[in-house]
Amino acid sequence: MRRVTFDLDVLRTFVTGMELGSFARAADRLGRSTSAVSAQLKKLEEQAATPIFRKAGRGLALTEAGETMLGYARRLMELNDEAASAIRDVELEGWVRLGLQEDFGEAVLPEVLGRFARTHPKVRIEARIARSHELTERIMAGSLDIALAWNDGAVLPYSRHVADVQTRWIGPAKPIEIGSRGGEALPLVVFEAPCLLRTVATETLDRAGLAWRMAFSSPSLGGIWAAVAAGLGLTIRTDIGLPANVRPIAPGSLGLPALPKLALQLYRKDAELDPVARRLADILLQAALEALPEDAEMKEKLPEVA
């Protein structure tokens, strides 16, 4: 059987188009014409010897083989970029200050630190895990170089929209009777104020005319998970970083109102990052995209036909 060697340039176009939701935008990002991108996608299907895409309205959706290819393409791009960075930036030194919203602490941080340390062992990283309002304050004060956080309404000059992620009602993994039977107020498990998601939960219930009460508050996400798992009440988060002892509640269940999406932002201290911070920001953004749930707005858009 003839071995196939996939073209890395083609794979990069493929991955970029899927992540941007548009191969026209991928062409612009990569400095190619849309016709050149179309030729690359055709070449990819020829190399794969099976359909990668299927038409879905005016856009393109992935076949089962395409979904498999996308996973491998991302891994190949990651390894390629690590190799290039290791050779080019082998002497990269200094330190960088990174901030992450708590949901991403376990879901993203280990991957980011591992990938960065392998290629830049001389760089020192100072990481801060905190809530969105603290991270944006630290970015504005100049005590963080980059931060990945939910948009809490703060207007910062140097930020990039990553995705819109659906929030969900979260309850214990083991079914426990929680609700508002007979007019009983819905028990909430929330962060101490100020908290973006605490406000979203209470305002959503108020608009729906549903009674609620604060059953438990905590300064840490670990405390929130413990209280929800124990059946003290419900909270709202996204699907990112959920522990095994809690679960998202199906939309419409228990008479709960629909929840909004949250905008995930990558904030920067300066318009132009230094080489150390820029490299870490690239790795952080890629890891965050990989951690997003399938219904994040950026992933649910079908790429436009180039």
Side-chain angles (χ1 to χ4, degrees):
M1 181 177 177
R2 183 177 65 86
R3 291 183 179 273
V4 175
T5 302
F6 288 105
D7 187 317
L8 289 177
D9 281 338
V10 172
L11 293 181
R12 188 176 300 281
T13 298
F14 174 46
V15 170
T16 303
M18 295 306 299
E19 290 183 345
L20 293 179
S22 166
F23 286 109
R25 285 198 292 248
D28 183 62
R29 170 77 62 85
L30 299 172
R32 292 189 173 91
S33 66
T34 54
S35 59
V37 166
S38 294
Q40 285 187 313
L41 298 180
K42 182 178 179 182
K43 179 179 179 180
L44 179 61
E45 288 197 318
E46 290 174 350
Q47 289 185 316
T50 188
I52 299 297
F53 303 100
R54 59 179 175 82
K55 284 286 186 69
R58 296 181 58 191
L60 295 176
L62 293 177
T63 62
E64 184 175 345
E67 291 174 353
T68 300
M69 173 63 75
L70 182 60
Y72 279 106
R74 284 177 171 144
R75 289 165 58 188
L76 287 167
M77 288 299 94
E78 177 184 326
L79 187 60
N80 176 84
D81 293 347
E82 279 191 15
S85 180
I87 295 170
R88 183 176 61 250
D89 301 329
V90 68
E91 296 302 323
L92 201 61
E93 298 183 39
W95 70 299
V96 61
R97 300 162 300 177
L98 163 68
L100 279 177
Q101 207 279 337
E102 290 182 278
D103 303 77
F104 292 89
E106 294 184 7
V108 171
L109 187 58
E111 172 72 11
V112 171
L113 296 180
R115 287 174 56 184
F116 191 81
R118 284 195 298 271
T119 52
H120 308 298
K122 296 182 180 181
V123 175
R124 180 167 64 91
I125 301 175
E126 178 184 309
R128 180 86 180 180
I129 307 297
R131 284 184 269 170
S132 299
H133 72 277
E134 179 181 338
L135 295 177
T136 54
E137 287 175 357
R138 288 178 175 271
I139 285 286
M140 289 188 288
S143 60
L144 287 176
D145 297 303
I146 53 176
L148 185 70
W150 303 120
N151 185 344
D152 62 356
V155 179
L156 277 68
Y158 313 120
S159 66
R160 173 178 176 180
H161 178 261
V162 178
D164 291 320
V165 186
Q166 181 64 53
T167 54
R168 303 189 188 283
W169 294 103
I170 307 295
K174 296 181 179 179
I176 297 177
E177 188 69 25
I178 297 175
S180 53
R181 294 183 306 169
E184 182 183 350
L186 181 72
L188 293 180
V189 174
V190 293
F191 273 116
E192 294 176 346
C195 171
L196 173 63
L197 288 173
R198 175 184 175 128
T199 301
V200 169
T202 57
E203 290 184 351
T204 298
L205 291 170
D206 285 342
R207 283 194 296 270
L210 298 177
W212 54 268
R213 64 180 176 87
M214 293 295 179
F216 181 90
S217 66
S218 171
S220 73
L221 187 56
I224 297 294
W225 295 143
V228 171
L232 272 65
L234 303 182
T235 192
I236 67 168
R237 307 302 299 175
T238 69
D239 287 330
I240 299 166
L242 293 183
N245 57 358
V246 303
R247 64 179 175 86
I249 296 172
S253 299
L254 307 178
L256 295 169
L259 291 168
K261 291 188 175 184
L262 289 182
L264 182 63
Q265 302 286 126
L266 181 65
Y267 295 104
R268 307 188 307 275
K269 176 174 67 74
D270 300 310
E272 295 295 330
L273 296 172
D274 63 45
V276 173
R278 185 169 62 249
R279 177 56 183 154
L280 182 59
D282 288 342
I283 293 176
L284 175 62
L285 183 59
Q286 184 173 353
L289 291 172
E290 292 168 0
L292 289 178
E294 287 301 317
D295 66 349
E297 183 174 305
M298 193 170 172
K299 289 191 174 184
E300 68 186 9
K301 288 181 180 178
L302 296 177
E304 300 162 4
V305 180

